Amino acid sequence: DSGVTQTPKHLITATGQRVTLRCSPRSGDLSVYWYQQSLDQGLQFLIQYYNGEERAKGNILERFSAQQFPDLHSELNLSSLELGDSALYFCASSPSGRVNNEQFFGPGTRLTVL
Amino acid sequence: DAKTTQPTSMDCAEGRAANLPCNHSTISGNEYVYWYRQIHSQGPQYIIHGLKNNETNEMASLIITEDRKSSTLILPHATLRDTAVYYCIVRVYSGGSNYKLTFGKGTLLTVNP
């Protein structure tokens, strides 16, 4: 158990819908990272937040957005969902904003878009 | 971007050392090499990282060549639970003082009884 929690574990929705994935980092960790893992693309970095502010951006679509709240939990919002958005979404956390720190990954949310 | 090249798959006998190679010939002087593994759709797990010196922890050893163009992750006594996809990663500069980890396809290590 990494100490990072993600909810929900599974999510099934329809194309065009909007969903919110939630992540609680390990106690004391200030950075949260979001990743998408699909069968054809592998594990892709989406975005990083550090202490409430966006720190780094990866291959995140404009239909996706994220935020980190004062209590340091983070949410990833996915809108206008398409079939290709079906994937495992992982959240990770680390103590600081430096990627030199190891990242602790949560168990993931499996999103299925029908 | 410093990319990495790893074999798609490898086999290892239980109890033997598993040596997983990684090429990162375009790595720059201040870029670290990281290793993570992922056991069947679970969240990736950090193993080890290094810059230029060899590193060892309770999970594995990391051997980095002197020219830093390649590295080897060593699991000294592989067990069946070590069967996983192993990712060798070089962090990528993403602007300002920020970096990100870019995961490739990794190596599927299968430990056989």
Side-chain angles (χ1 to χ4, degrees):
Chain A
D1 183 357
S2 66
V4 177
T5 59
Q6 290 186 247
T7 56
K9 284 197 167 96
H10 302 277
L11 197 48
I12 301 175
T13 188
T15 54
Q17 295 298 304
R18 181 179 190 273
V19 297
T20 297
L21 312 183
R22 183 188 167 103
C23 169
S24 292
R26 291 187 325 152
S27 176
D29 283 359
L30 299 178
S31 266
V32 169
Y33 310 78
W34 286 98
Y35 292 84
Q36 178 194 55
Q37 186 171 37
S38 57
L39 282 175
D40 55 345
Q41 292 290 325
L43 195 62
Q44 301 277 317
F45 167 73
L46 296 178
I47 198 164
Q48 176 200 356
Y49 276 82
Y50 171 70
N51 206 18
E53 296 195 358
E54 183 182 306
R55 177 61 71 97
K57 224 167 186 176
N59 303 320
I60 188 165
L61 300 172
E62 285 192 11
R63 300 184 285 109
F64 296 0
S65 64
Q67 54 184 326
Q68 186 179 28
F69 295 87
D71 66 354
L72 301 177
H73 90 272
S74 177
E75 293 181 354
L76 179 67
N77 300 297
L78 316 175
S79 62
S80 303
L81 285 167
E82 302 175 358
L83 296 177
D85 298 327
S86 294
L88 266 171
Y89 290 84
F90 289 106
C91 163
S93 74
S94 68
S96 76
R98 293 175 57 84
V99 78
N100 275 359
N101 295 142
E102 64 181 278
Q103 294 181 23
F104 296 85
F105 282 76
T109 292
R110 184 175 292 279
L111 174 66
T112 302
V113 182
L114 301 175
Chain B
D1 294 354
K3 296 192 191 309
T4 62
T5 304
Q6 300 178 252
T8 304
S9 63
M10 292 183 65
D11 284 336
C12 177
E14 189 178 18
R16 304 298 290 268
N19 297 284
L20 292 94
C22 179
N23 286 323
H24 31 79
S25 58
T26 59
I27 194 171
S28 62
N30 60 351
E31 289 181 324
Y32 284 76
V33 179
Y34 294 80
W35 284 83
Y36 281 76
R37 73 180 183 184
Q38 186 175 24
I39 299 172
H40 187 58
S41 296
Q42 296 179 20
Q45 177 190 23
Y46 167 83
I47 301 173
I48 200 167
H49 75 277
L51 182 62
K52 58 177 82 170
N53 297 321
N54 298 337
E55 301 286 345
T56 295
N57 63 21
E58 66 278 3
M59 286 183 70
S61 294
L62 175 60
I63 309 297
I64 302 175
T65 57
E66 196 169 337
D67 63 7
R68 302 208 329 116
K69 292 187 177 182
S70 66
S71 60
T72 301
L73 178 75
I74 301 172
L75 307 179
H77 305 287
T79 71
L80 299 179
R81 288 182 297 178
D82 292 322
T83 293
V85 177
Y86 287 77
Y87 298 98
C88 168
I89 302 156
V90 174
R91 68 176 187 178
V92 173
Y93 180 63
S94 59
S97 59
N98 303 317
Y99 296 84
K100 60 185 181 183
L101 296 179
T102 299
F103 288 75
K105 298 290 187 187
T107 296
L108 172 60
L109 174 69
T110 302
V111 180
N112 301 304

